[in-house]
Amino acid sequence: AQSVTQPDIHITVSEGASLELRCNYSYGATPYLFWYVQSPGQGLQLLLKYFSGDTLVQGIKGFEAEFKRSQSSFNLRKPSVHWSDAAEYFCAVEPLYGGSQGNLIFGKGTKLSVKP
Amino acid sequence: DVKVTQSSRYLVKRTGEKVFLECVQDMDHENMFWYRQDPGLGLRLIYFSYDVKMKEKGDIPEGYSVSREKKERFSLILESASTNQTSMYLCASSLDGGDEKLFFGSGTQLSVL
């Protein structure tokens, strides 16, 4: 069965420092890959997605992610974190059976705290 | 701007009550989803719907049912609420063939006492 692993439950970084959030997936073929962010008390917002092509994808709010097929990874990065980036981040995979209808499998999330 | 609206932000119910969680989207999306979110477990799919009057079970459908009588509205029903259904419930929608992007509501925090 497809699965998504986010190994870090909670990460704390200093404002201005770089950030990398890890995501690994288990799937036979390359699925569609997503990163969502959830601010406190809010629903989830799409940061970026990878379907095919260039393995480095740019998203909103200065985030980027790199797909590495050999490592089954899709890590999220940001060169300089802002205090407003404090939130919970979810990696997600779309299983490709039954057509594509947005039915995603989510990781358990990584909570990001930002120190001033 | 795209909008997914969940009728209640907070809800408190008693064990055994029938509970309705309502979700409305204004984007004419074909697909709608109900997830529950629990600390340390992430989001788990309960039910989804590809079209009016159609529904599919997700990963954890037990104890829940859904209704989609109109395209814009997708209701989650707890027939007899139990304490283990205390959770944050998130509704989402997506456009068929629309690059798989999910649009989420702000969530309903349900407490079952």
Side-chain angles (χ1 to χ4, degrees), chain A residues 71-86:
Chain A
Q71 298 176 18
S72 297
S73 69
F74 189 55
N75 294 348
L76 182 71
R77 301 195 295 244
K78 187 169 184 178
S80 177
V81 168
H82 188 263
W83 64 266
S84 60
D85 294 324

Side-chain angles (χ1 to χ4, degrees), chain A residues 7 13 20 37 47 51 55 62-63 85 94 99 114:
Chain A
V13 299
E20 182 168 31
V37 61
L47 281 175
F51 287 178
T55 57
F63 285 92
D85 294 324
E94 169 144 1
V114 180

Side-chain angles (χ1 to χ4, degrees), chain A residues 9 32 34 36 38 40-46 49 51 88 90 94 97-109, chain B residues 9 31 33 35 37-38 40-45 48 50 59 88 90 94-97 99-107:
Chain A
I9 296 172
Y32 295 164
F34 305 81
Y36 281 83
Q38 185 180 32
Q42 299 296 315
L44 278 71
Q45 181 185 19
L46 180 68
K49 61 184 185 287
F51 287 178
E88 191 156 19
F90 292 92
E94 169 144 1
Y97 52 76
S100 304
Q101 282 113 351
N103 179 4
L104 305 185
I105 297 172
F106 285 86
K108 294 182 179 180
Chain B
R9 184 71 182 92
N31 310 316
F33 306 82
Y35 290 87
Q37 181 180 16
D38 301 286
L41 296 179
L43 278 74
R44 294 178 291 168
L45 182 64
F48 56 103
Y50 297 146
D59 299 319
M88 170 68 80
L90 290 168
S94 71
L95 182 65
D96 215 23
D99 78 359
E100 324 310 319
K101 180 175 178 177
L102 284 177
F103 293 86
F104 281 86
S106 297

